[in-house]
Amino acid sequence: MLENNLYIKSYVSIENGKVSVDGNPAFESSVKNVSDFLKEGLRHFAIQYPKYFKMDNLSKLAFLGSELLLKDNPEPQTALLFANSSSSLDTDVTYQESIADKANYFPSPAVFVYTLPNICLGEISIRHQLKTENSFFIFGAFNADFFVGYAQNLIETGKAKNVLCGWTELYKEDYKAFFYVVSSEGKTEHTKQNIEHIYKY
């Protein structure tokens, strides 16, 4: 078993119109609409990816956070380990509204494709050409124990060199995202206590 030799290489937090990288402010917007905020964030960081604008908000949130961590860490053996508490409910509601009115029945394939939360992992994998393991789990609340154990297992068993962990909670205008890269390099040990501390602050 590996003991105390996995680290949090870098991390990103997105909440309340703010983006921080490794605890330092990186972007802030006064817009209240989450979709507008996510578009502003992409432009602020000069990320060129037209397909972003076709994604649902959950995928945009996951894509933006992961992009800030992976653009300077091009390790192809990076596994993706994500979770949230509301699954794809934000998009599910939008899709349900498109089929609820029989007089105006218009089921959109472009919306339907995002009615699974793990679609955001596919978007990230395509962007960074990742062919490693990826999983999306649903929990009632952020679960640091789970991330520690699962990420360690992926690296111990040789399934990945790095693991990008992400909590991507979004429903309507409420959102909170936290992403970090687990690696054999870094200054902060990958422990439950350290993860919870960074997640809260």
Side-chain angles (χ1 to χ4, degrees), residues 6 15 18 20 67 71 75 86 136 145 169:
L6 291 182
E15 185 178 19
K18 300 177 182 178
S20 66
E67 187 72 11
K71 63 185 178 66
E75 170 53 62
S86 62
F136 199 114
D145 268 333
E169 179 55 32

Side-chain angles (χ1 to χ4, degrees), residues 2-16:
L2 294 174
E3 294 183 3
N4 300 323
N5 62 343
L6 291 182
Y7 300 88
I8 299 170
K9 188 173 184 179
S10 188
Y11 63 94
V12 168
S13 296
I14 305 176
E15 185 178 19
N16 298 325

Side-chain angles (χ1 to χ4, degrees), residues 15-108:
E15 185 178 19
N16 298 325
K18 300 177 182 178
V19 179
S20 66
V21 179
D22 295 332
N24 301 309
F27 170 67
E28 183 172 355
S29 172
S30 60
V31 300
K32 300 300 181 184
N33 181 277
V34 64
S35 184
D36 291 340
F37 164 70
L38 292 170
K39 290 175 184 176
E40 279 193 11
L42 189 84
R43 294 187 178 108
H44 173 81
F45 293 109
I47 300 168
Q48 302 295 322
Y49 198 67
K51 191 180 178 184
Y52 179 85
F53 299 98
K54 297 180 181 179
M55 298 179 192
D56 71 334
N57 284 338
L58 179 65
S59 293
K60 287 178 181 175
L61 181 64
F63 183 93
L64 180 60
S66 63
E67 187 72 11
L68 297 177
L69 291 172
L70 296 180
K71 63 185 178 66
D72 296 323
N73 297 280
E75 170 53 62
Q77 292 300 311
T78 297
L80 303 176
L81 180 60
F82 280 38
N84 72 9
S85 63
S86 62
S87 187
S88 56
L89 184 60
D90 185 69
T91 300
D92 295 347
V93 170
T94 300
Y95 185 74
Q96 175 61 29
E97 290 171 350
S98 76
I99 63 175
D101 185 355
K102 293 182 179 180
N104 190 28
Y105 184 80
F106 186 72
S108 169

